[in-house]
Amino acid sequence: MRRAVCFRAAALTLGLGLAAIAYHATTEDLMVSAAKAWLASLNSNQIASAKFKLDNPDYERWHYVPDNSFVGQRGYGRNGVTYKDMSPEQRSLADALLAASLSRAGFVSVKTIMSLEEVLRIRENDNTGRRDVNIYHVSVFGEPSKDGNWAWRFEGHHVSLHFLMQDGKLVSTAPEFLGANPHVVKDGPRKGVRPLGAREDTARKLMTSLGDALKKKALVAEKAYRDILTTADTRAELENEPQGLAASELSQEQYEMLLATADQYAVSLPAEQAEARMKRVRETPRDQLFFAWAGSIEPGGGDYYRIQSPEFLIEYDNVQNGNNHSHTVWREFKGDFGRDLLAAHYQLDDHGLSLDRSVAAD
């Protein structure tokens, strides 16, 4: 049965790709079609759990911990319909929506991260349902259309993805969180699996290339932080944090390494959106683009890095579970959830929640 479901999902994803080639469909066209198809497959009870107005306060409530940790910290559950509560056909349609919203590499990364729940279930001998590859929620905000404003979210343990369409264009994909536990599978039949490995390797290559003087500027803390500093705050803010090393002090080769690291936070998106994200990185004046590192420079010692501009923030952290549990995020200081684009219409700023920065167990 599992193979049949996976085959149907793959067939739907392939069908979307073929349709794009045949009819020159845009990412937005595919997203609208896939969202409508998934919503049309739901019964009335599922629709009540899956579809909300775009000005719903829950639009900005997000996190990346398992469901029971989310409930314990928030006092309420995540919205959306989970894969667990979908039929095989509905899961395939949800996969099609996810595939339409990401690049092929992004889709594979998300599915691999989800599959690590089974690795944890076996390792922890969990029989409580805490570790479940099917506890991932799909929510739609507004009415999917080719010329309107609507959004959708995909969220569960170590995955929180947000997509906003305005006037028929995909205008916001932040915050984008991906994590991995384990960061690298060290034993068993899946030994060596490391879905976020490139996000580690590119940054470490840059850090190790620096001379002593530049390393000292980049190293903002001897010990890596417990988690990404912005955690699941509704607004990304960094207060009283040293910025690190300015890109203007890098050689051209090192600057290209910095761009390669940032690119790992763009390749998960469709080509047009990935290029737009990287254009913002490249157009940031080098004296306003900073690279910071905390913790060990050697692999496996516990590390953190960030790339920061006045507009966006990249964070990576790997210290939990013996330095084998990574969290990564792309955030917009003003534009998370497309807040700056929608405020005039829905006054989303009035609904923002000041979530705390405590770290829930995941």
Side-chain angles (χ1 to χ4, degrees), residues 3 43 62 108 141 169 181 235 260 293 315 317 327 358:
R3 287 185 178 180
N43 61 40
W62 73 289
V108 170
F141 299 86
K169 294 295 293 182
N181 182 17
R235 291 182 179 275
W293 187 279
E315 287 193 275
D317 188 83
H327 290 172
S358 58

Side-chain angles (χ1 to χ4, degrees), residues 94 120 327 329:
L120 293 178
H327 290 172
V329 72

Side-chain angles (χ1 to χ4, degrees), residues 25-42:
T26 65
T27 292
E28 290 86 352
D29 291 335
L30 296 176
M31 287 177 64
V32 170
S33 297
K36 286 184 173 181
W38 179 70
L39 287 171
S41 76
L42 304 181

Side-chain angles (χ1 to χ4, degrees), residues 211-233:
D212 290 343
L214 293 187
K215 277 182 182 175
K216 185 176 180 180
K217 288 186 177 182
L219 190 65
V220 295
E222 293 293 334
K223 185 177 181 180
Y225 309 118
R226 169 67 175 168
D227 198 357
I228 55 174
L229 297 181
T230 53
T231 61
D233 292 355

Side-chain angles (χ1 to χ4, degrees), residues 60 234-235 334-343 348-349:
E60 294 187 13
T234 299
R235 291 182 179 275
K334 294 182 179 179
D336 273 354
F337 311 101
R339 183 186 292 113
D340 54 341
L341 299 171
L342 290 176
L348 286 180
D349 286 349

Side-chain angles (χ1 to χ4, degrees), residues 166-295:
Q166 184 180 45
D167 299 328
K169 294 295 293 182
L170 178 56
V171 295
S172 178
T173 55
E176 176 198 310
F177 179 96
L178 295 177
N181 182 17
H183 177 68
V184 55
V185 180
K186 294 187 176 181
D187 50 41
R190 301 190 66 197
K191 182 178 180 179
V193 170
R194 191 168 65 125
L196 300 178
R199 296 189 176 192
E200 173 189 6
D201 295 343
T202 51
R204 192 180 306 280
K205 182 179 179 180
L206 170 59
M207 188 63 181
T208 56
S209 78
L210 302 176
D212 290 343
L214 293 187
K215 277 182 182 175
K216 185 176 180 180
K217 288 186 177 182
L219 190 65
V220 295
E222 293 293 334
K223 185 177 181 180
Y225 309 118
R226 169 67 175 168
D227 198 357
I228 55 174
L229 297 181
T230 53
T231 61
D233 292 355
T234 299
R235 291 182 179 275
E237 295 179 340
L238 286 177
E239 297 179 359
N240 303 318
E241 286 297 328
Q243 293 178 308
L245 175 65
S248 56
E249 298 192 61
L250 299 175
S251 68
Q252 184 59 32
E253 182 179 3
Q254 291 166 335
Y255 177 67
E256 294 295 334
M257 294 179 192
L258 182 66
L259 293 182
T261 303
D263 188 57
Q264 293 304 319
Y265 294 77
V267 294
S268 57
L269 299 175
E272 183 179 351
Q273 287 71 33
E275 175 54 31
R277 186 172 281 190
M278 285 306 299
K279 181 179 179 183
R280 295 177 62 195
V281 179
R282 291 190 297 268
E283 291 183 349
T284 301
R286 295 191 189 188
D287 62 351
Q288 297 179 33
L289 184 64
F290 289 86
F291 175 72
W293 187 279

